[in-house]
Amino acid sequence: MDATLDRTRGFERYDPGWHCRVEIVDTVDEVLTLLRDYIASLTPRHLVRLPDRCRSLRVKGEDDVEYWTFRLSHRAHPDDVTVDELLREDVFYRFLHASLRIAQIHKAEAEARVREQ
């Protein structure tokens, strides 16, 4: 694995099993399914601890992954004691990893198309 990429993937320490599953799937739909299953596992008690702008998490398609990755990337205001920064960070890292894996899948598909020509 590329050394730079390896150093940037420390987020996998939060739930290595989930992140491993993301790495072994071969399609965007499978990545989206893993992300949807994760979101479904979040209870209202979890969601209320996310920033207001992130409480309505849902993933219909791959563009939603980018949208929520961006939204979750912003830390809550320091005075907002209702936000659990560790939870926000964990959810953000899952979306970030899903986004990365989707990009890898698209790259592999494009390379396969070029080889076929």
Side-chain angles (χ1 to χ4, degrees), residues 43-106:
T43 66
R45 279 191 10 229
H46 290 109
L47 295 173
V48 75
R49 295 180 3 234
L50 290 173
D52 286 340
R53 68 185 178 279
C54 300
R55 292 181 184 162
S56 61
L57 286 172
R58 68 178 177 277
V59 174
K60 294 179 185 176
E62 66 185 88
D63 57 326
D64 291 323
V65 177
E66 296 303 320
Y67 175 81
W68 289 112
T69 301
F70 176 75
R71 299 281 291 212
L72 288 158
S73 70
H74 296 92
R75 292 186 182 269
H77 190 277
D79 294 336
D80 190 349
V81 295
T82 64
V83 174
D84 180 339
E85 274 300 310
L86 292 176
L87 175 63
R88 183 205 55 82
E89 192 174 82
D90 180 44
V91 176
F92 165 67
Y93 285 149
R94 290 170 196 264
F95 273 85
L96 180 62
H97 193 178
S99 175
L100 173 64
R101 184 66 186 127
I102 289 169
Q104 291 169 337
I105 291 168
H106 284 307

XYZ file of all heavy atoms in Angstrom, residues 43-106:
548
model
N -29.198 4.999 16.757
C -30.472 5.226 17.431
C -30.743 6.730 17.534
O -29.826 7.542 17.340
C -30.443 4.631 18.851
O -29.493 5.372 19.633
C -30.071 3.147 18.832
N -31.964 7.099 17.864
C -32.232 8.534 18.096
C -31.303 9.129 19.163
O -30.943 10.306 19.072
C -33.692 8.547 18.550
C -34.294 7.359 17.869
C -33.201 6.311 17.896
N -30.907 8.316 20.141
C -29.964 8.806 21.165
C -28.622 9.178 20.549
O -27.947 10.084 21.027
C -29.745 7.750 22.246
C -30.825 7.722 23.279
C -30.503 6.864 24.500
N -29.142 6.391 24.581
C -28.803 5.122 24.821
N -29.724 4.203 24.995
N -27.534 4.770 24.897
N -28.217 8.458 19.508
C -26.987 8.811 18.808
C -27.185 10.072 17.967
O -26.377 11.003 18.031
C -26.544 7.672 17.867
C -26.051 6.460 18.553
N -26.765 5.296 18.563
C -24.918 6.228 19.248
C -26.097 4.385 19.238
N -24.972 4.927 19.668
N -28.242 10.066 17.187
C -28.464 11.164 16.242
C -28.587 12.515 16.928
O -28.114 13.522 16.408
C -29.698 10.879 15.386
C -29.563 9.668 14.459
C -30.888 9.355 13.791
C -28.467 9.885 13.431
N -29.190 12.546 18.093
C -29.364 13.811 18.801
C -28.016 14.374 19.268
O -27.900 15.566 19.528
C -30.367 13.668 19.969
C -29.753 12.941 21.160
C -30.926 15.011 20.365
N -26.996 13.530 19.328
C -25.666 13.977 19.752
C -24.796 14.451 18.586
O -23.660 14.849 18.779
C -24.971 12.858 20.523
C -25.688 12.552 21.818
C -25.095 11.452 22.679
N -23.890 10.824 22.257
C -23.742 9.493 22.101
N -24.748 8.685 22.320
N -22.575 8.997 21.738
N -25.363 14.406 17.372
C -24.665 14.952 16.207
C -25.053 16.419 16.039
O -26.086 16.855 16.555
C -25.064 14.178 14.948
C -24.557 12.745 14.847
C -25.165 12.050 13.640
C -23.035 12.692 14.789
N -24.260 17.177 15.288
C -24.656 18.571 15.024
C -26.028 18.609 14.341
O -26.380 17.695 13.581
C -23.559 19.073 14.074
C -22.387 18.178 14.334
C -22.966 16.848 14.693
N -26.791 19.643 14.614
C -28.136 19.777 14.022
C -28.134 19.509 12.521
O -29.016 18.831 12.006
C -28.695 21.182 14.260
C -29.147 21.406 15.685
O -29.381 20.410 16.397
O -29.257 22.576 16.078
N -27.142 20.044 11.829
C -27.085 19.936 10.369
C -26.846 18.515 9.878
O -26.934 18.246 8.683
C -26.005 20.868 9.816
C -24.595 20.446 10.196
C -23.542 21.437 9.739
N -22.232 21.024 10.167
C -21.727 21.218 11.382
N -22.446 21.863 12.287
N -20.525 20.783 11.691
N -26.539 17.596 10.797
C -26.195 16.222 10.412
C -27.163 15.170 10.953
O -26.930 13.977 10.798
C -24.785 15.891 10.905
S -23.517 16.981 10.229
N -28.223 15.580 11.560
C -29.121 14.625 12.212
C -30.050 13.893 11.261
O -30.623 12.880 11.622
C -29.939 15.340 13.294
C -29.055 15.763 14.443
C -29.811 16.435 15.537
N -28.860 16.898 16.549
C -29.132 17.793 17.457
N -30.351 18.331 17.514
N -28.220 18.168 18.319
N -30.194 14.379 10.054
C -31.103 13.728 9.110
C -30.336 12.878 8.095
O -30.674 12.834 6.922
C -31.960 14.775 8.404
O -31.125 15.662 7.674
N -29.309 12.193 8.565
C -28.483 11.354 7.693
C -29.328 10.381 6.889
O -30.191 9.692 7.430
C -27.516 10.519 8.541
C -26.318 11.207 9.167
C -25.611 10.237 10.107
C -25.372 11.699 8.116
N -29.063 10.324 5.604
C -29.652 9.295 4.750
C -28.812 9.228 3.484
O -28.210 10.219 3.069
C -31.106 9.564 4.447
C -31.366 10.756 3.577
C -32.853 10.926 3.278
N -33.073 12.116 2.511
C -33.175 13.338 3.000
N -33.079 13.545 4.289
N -33.375 14.365 2.220
N -28.792 8.062 2.888
C -28.003 7.856 1.685
C -28.883 7.196 0.635
O -29.226 6.025 0.763
C -26.753 7.002 1.978
C -26.022 6.668 0.688
C -25.827 7.709 2.955
N -29.258 7.970 -0.358
C -30.038 7.431 -1.476
C -29.102 6.998 -2.606
O -29.355 6.021 -3.286
C -31.015 8.476 -2.007
C -32.103 8.843 -1.029
C -33.001 9.896 -1.636
C -34.030 10.374 -0.639
N -34.859 11.458 -1.166
N -28.036 7.769 -2.805
C -27.086 7.477 -3.869
C -25.704 7.943 -3.487
O -25.498 8.520 -2.419
N -24.766 7.722 -4.379
C -23.377 8.033 -4.034
C -23.121 9.527 -3.858
O -22.207 9.902 -3.122
C -22.402 7.425 -5.037
C -22.476 7.976 -6.426
C -21.554 7.218 -7.358
O -21.988 6.212 -7.928
O -20.391 7.650 -7.511
N -23.918 10.389 -4.471
C -23.727 11.822 -4.263
C -24.031 12.223 -2.819
O -23.460 13.177 -2.295
C -24.559 12.648 -5.246
C -26.038 12.337 -5.193
O -26.402 11.177 -4.943
O -26.840 13.256 -5.419
N -24.901 11.464 -2.156
C -25.189 11.732 -0.744
C -23.967 11.462 0.135
O -23.794 12.098 1.173
C -26.361 10.876 -0.252
C -27.681 11.292 -0.877
O -27.888 12.502 -1.085
O -28.504 10.399 -1.150
N -23.131 10.536 -0.277
C -21.919 10.234 0.498
C -21.027 11.467 0.540
O -20.540 11.856 1.607
C -21.172 9.018 -0.084
C -19.873 8.760 0.685
C -22.060 7.776 -0.062
N -20.845 12.096 -0.601
C -20.026 13.307 -0.645
C -20.658 14.443 0.161
O -19.978 15.163 0.880
C -19.804 13.759 -2.094
C -19.014 12.778 -2.922
C -17.663 12.455 -2.326
O -16.986 13.371 -1.813
O -17.284 11.278 -2.371
N -21.959 14.589 0.026
C -22.684 15.638 0.755
C -22.487 15.490 2.260
O -22.118 16.447 2.946
C -24.171 15.570 0.388
C -25.030 16.524 1.183
C -25.117 17.857 0.816
C -25.742 16.080 2.294
C -25.906 18.738 1.546
C -26.532 16.962 3.023
C -26.610 18.286 2.651
O -27.384 19.144 3.386
N -22.721 14.282 2.774
C -22.617 14.074 4.220
C -21.173 14.072 4.701
O -20.892 14.496 5.825
C -23.358 12.812 4.646
C -24.827 12.993 4.551
C -25.691 12.385 3.691
C -25.631 13.893 5.335
N -26.970 12.835 3.885
C -26.961 13.764 4.894
C -25.357 14.796 6.361
C -28.007 14.501 5.447
C -26.400 15.532 6.908
C -27.700 15.381 6.458
N -20.257 13.631 3.854
C -18.837 13.707 4.229
C -18.464 15.163 4.470
O -17.815 15.489 5.472
C -17.944 13.082 3.143
O -18.320 11.714 2.953
C -16.475 13.140 3.532
N -18.888 16.022 3.578
C -18.603 17.449 3.732
C -19.270 18.013 4.987
O -18.639 18.703 5.784
C -19.062 18.220 2.490
C -18.874 19.702 2.620
C -17.612 20.263 2.518
C -19.956 20.527 2.858
C -17.431 21.631 2.650
C -19.788 21.900 2.992
C -18.511 22.455 2.891
N -20.551 17.724 5.170
C -21.283 18.254 6.331
C -20.671 17.774 7.652
O -20.548 18.537 8.606
C -22.754 17.841 6.274
C -23.528 18.324 5.071
C -23.943 19.730 5.193
N -24.955 19.881 6.228
C -25.911 20.764 6.189
N -26.016 21.559 5.163
N -26.766 20.866 7.169
N -20.306 16.513 7.697
C -19.749 15.940 8.923
C -18.310 16.380 9.182
O -17.810 16.253 10.299
C -19.811 14.411 8.861
C -21.203 13.817 9.011
C -21.253 12.410 8.413
C -21.615 13.791 10.483
N -17.649 16.909 8.167
C -16.247 17.304 8.327
C -16.084 18.553 9.188
O -14.989 18.823 9.676
C -15.599 17.536 6.959
O -16.119 18.702 6.343
N -17.161 19.291 9.383
C -17.080 20.529 10.165
C -17.343 20.257 11.640
O -18.390 19.725 12.004
C -18.105 21.546 9.637
C -17.809 21.960 8.248
N -18.358 21.322 7.157
C -17.005 22.929 7.754
C -17.900 21.890 6.056
N -17.078 22.861 6.391
N -16.398 20.643 12.444
C -16.565 20.490 13.895
C -17.695 21.392 14.383
O -17.954 22.441 13.817
C -15.288 20.862 14.626
C -14.158 19.909 14.381
C -12.971 20.282 15.262
N -11.869 19.405 15.002
C -11.646 18.282 15.662
N -12.470 17.914 16.622
N -10.617 17.523 15.377
N -18.313 20.961 15.457
C -19.366 21.777 16.076
C -18.724 22.982 16.757
O -17.533 22.979 17.077
C -20.127 20.945 17.098
N -19.520 23.989 16.964
C -19.051 25.167 17.699
C -18.627 24.713 19.092
O -19.322 23.905 19.728
C -20.177 26.206 17.786
C -19.703 27.509 18.304
N -19.560 27.763 19.638
C -19.312 28.633 17.642
C -19.111 28.989 19.810
N -18.957 29.542 18.607
N -17.500 25.201 19.592
C -17.007 24.772 20.913
C -18.012 24.959 22.053
O -17.972 24.227 23.048
C -15.770 25.632 21.147
C -15.371 26.128 19.801
C -16.604 26.157 18.953
N -18.923 25.916 21.911
C -19.911 26.154 22.962
C -21.101 25.198 22.891
O -21.939 25.180 23.787
C -20.427 27.594 22.890
C -19.342 28.606 23.215
O -18.371 28.242 23.914
O -19.465 29.754 22.753
N -21.192 24.428 21.821
C -22.319 23.503 21.661
C -22.016 22.205 22.405
O -21.407 21.284 21.871
C -22.579 23.228 20.181
C -23.870 22.469 19.953
O -24.466 21.980 20.936
O -24.279 22.365 18.785
N -22.464 22.134 23.642
C -22.171 20.974 24.495
C -23.064 19.778 24.176
O -22.846 18.692 24.704
C -22.292 21.336 25.995
C -21.235 22.360 26.383
C -23.684 21.827 26.318
N -24.039 19.957 23.290
C -24.926 18.838 22.944
C -24.287 17.912 21.911
O -24.760 16.797 21.714
C -26.270 19.344 22.388
O -26.038 20.044 21.159
C -26.972 20.238 23.399
N -23.221 18.371 21.262
C -22.586 17.571 20.212
C -21.485 16.703 20.809
O -20.616 17.174 21.535
C -22.010 18.477 19.097
C -21.216 17.661 18.092
C -23.123 19.244 18.419
N -21.550 15.432 20.489
C -20.522 14.461 20.882
C -19.505 14.420 19.750
O -19.744 13.809 18.707
C -21.181 13.100 21.103
C -20.211 12.019 21.509
O -18.993 12.162 21.260
O -20.674 11.009 22.067
N -18.376 15.079 19.947
C -17.360 15.182 18.894
C -16.794 13.822 18.508
O -16.465 13.588 17.339
C -16.236 16.126 19.307
C -16.505 17.569 19.000
C -16.718 17.830 17.511
O -15.911 17.398 16.662
O -17.724 18.479 17.180
N -16.657 12.913 19.444
C -16.146 11.580 19.109
C -17.123 10.829 18.207
O -16.709 10.149 17.261
C -15.843 10.773 20.364
C -14.667 11.278 21.198
C -14.516 10.447 22.471
C -13.382 11.259 20.390
N -18.402 10.965 18.475
C -19.408 10.333 17.621
C -19.409 10.984 16.241
O -19.413 10.291 15.220
C -20.800 10.428 18.256
C -21.947 9.906 17.392
C -21.784 8.412 17.127
C -23.289 10.202 18.057
N -19.383 12.311 16.191
C -19.352 13.013 14.906
C -18.145 12.564 14.093
O -18.249 12.280 12.904
C -19.301 14.529 15.101
C -19.342 15.306 13.761
C -18.699 16.674 13.859
N -17.339 16.666 14.341
C -16.262 16.408 13.582
N -16.377 16.124 12.309
N -15.054 16.436 14.117
N -17.013 12.454 14.766
C -15.793 12.039 14.090
C -15.904 10.598 13.578
O -15.507 10.299 12.453
C -14.620 12.170 15.064
C -13.275 12.044 14.429
C -12.182 12.336 15.439
O -11.835 11.433 16.217
O -11.689 13.479 15.441
N -16.469 9.722 14.363
C -16.644 8.333 13.944
C -17.549 8.241 12.724
O -17.231 7.563 11.741
C -17.212 7.504 15.104
C -17.414 6.052 14.721
O -16.530 5.459 14.073
O -18.475 5.495 15.074
N -18.668 8.945 12.739
C -19.586 8.933 11.605
C -18.898 9.552 10.382
O -18.971 9.016 9.267
C -20.903 9.672 11.936
C -21.820 9.739 10.725
C -21.609 9.005 13.114
N -18.194 10.654 10.599
C -17.462 11.305 9.509
C -16.472 10.350 8.871
O -16.400 10.235 7.638
C -16.734 12.553 10.023
C -15.687 13.075 9.085
C -16.041 13.625 7.862
C -14.346 13.009 9.422
C -15.070 14.103 6.985
C -13.377 13.486 8.554
C -13.736 14.034 7.337
N -15.697 9.637 9.674
C -14.687 8.726 9.137
C -15.311 7.595 8.331
O -14.740 7.134 7.342
C -13.818 8.160 10.250
C -12.810 9.151 10.793
C -12.416 9.094 12.117
C -12.255 10.140 9.993
C -11.489 9.989 12.624
C -11.337 11.043 10.492
C -10.951 10.958 11.808
O -10.036 11.848 12.302
N -16.474 7.141 8.729
C -17.144 6.097 7.941
C -17.560 6.640 6.576
O -17.385 5.984 5.553
C -18.341 5.548 8.701
C -17.915 4.714 9.908
C -19.111 4.387 10.774
N -18.723 3.929 12.078
C -18.616 2.646 12.425
N -18.865 1.706 11.545
N -18.267 2.319 13.649
N -18.106 7.852 6.565
C -18.472 8.458 5.290
C -17.232 8.745 4.449
O -17.235 8.531 3.228
C -19.286 9.736 5.514
C -20.752 9.490 5.661
C -21.294 9.148 6.893
C -21.597 9.583 4.574
C -22.650 8.900 7.034
C -22.958 9.347 4.694
C -23.484 8.999 5.935
N -16.176 9.200 5.083
C -14.936 9.485 4.367
C -14.383 8.208 3.736
O -13.987 8.207 2.568
C -13.918 10.099 5.322
C -12.559 10.462 4.733
C -12.722 11.522 3.650
C -11.630 10.938 5.840
N -14.371 7.126 4.478
C -13.862 5.869 3.948
C -14.756 5.356 2.822
O -14.263 4.870 1.794
C -13.745 4.829 5.058
C -12.954 3.626 4.654
N -12.698 2.610 5.510
C -12.385 3.266 3.476
C -11.998 1.672 4.886
N -11.797 2.055 3.647
N -16.057 5.480 2.983
C -16.975 5.076 1.918
C -16.702 5.901 0.656
O -16.675 5.359 -0.459
C -18.424 5.233 2.367
N -16.483 7.187 0.814
C -16.186 8.063 -0.319
C -14.895 7.634 -1.005
O -14.823 7.566 -2.239
C -16.076 9.507 0.173
O -15.691 10.357 -0.864
N -13.889 7.338 -0.225
C -12.609 6.877 -0.762
C -12.789 5.569 -1.525
O -12.284 5.404 -2.639
C -11.601 6.695 0.374
C -10.263 6.072 0.011
C -9.503 6.963 -0.951
C -9.450 5.815 1.273
N -13.533 4.642 -0.950
C -13.726 3.341 -1.607
C -14.518 3.495 -2.907
O -14.205 2.841 -3.908
C -14.461 2.370 -0.656
C -14.600 0.988 -1.233
C -13.246 0.307 -1.406
N -13.422 -0.961 -2.089
C -12.765 -1.309 -3.179
N -11.840 -0.513 -3.689
N -12.995 -2.468 -3.749
N -15.506 4.367 -2.916
C -16.264 4.619 -4.146
C -15.336 5.164 -5.229
O -15.405 4.739 -6.389
C -17.455 5.564 -3.873
C -18.521 4.821 -3.059
C -18.031 6.123 -5.165
C -19.611 5.712 -2.497
N -14.448 6.075 -4.865
C -13.491 6.618 -5.833
C -12.579 5.512 -6.362
O -12.280 5.463 -7.570
C -12.669 7.732 -5.196
N -12.135 4.613 -5.486
C -11.284 3.503 -5.921
C -12.031 2.587 -6.895
O -11.460 2.124 -7.890
C -10.812 2.692 -4.710
C -9.848 3.422 -3.818
C -9.620 2.698 -2.498
O -10.450 1.902 -2.053
N -8.489 2.980 -1.864
N -13.281 2.318 -6.597
C -14.090 1.460 -7.476
C -14.262 2.111 -8.840
O -14.091 1.453 -9.876
C -15.442 1.142 -6.811
C -15.232 0.214 -5.607
C -16.409 0.525 -7.819
C -16.446 0.057 -4.703
N -14.566 3.397 -8.862
C -14.720 4.099 -10.142
C -13.409 4.100 -10.931
O -13.407 3.926 -12.158
C -15.212 5.525 -9.932
C -16.659 5.617 -9.601
N -17.646 5.040 -10.369
C -17.307 6.235 -8.580
C -18.827 5.283 -9.839
N -18.648 6.005 -8.750
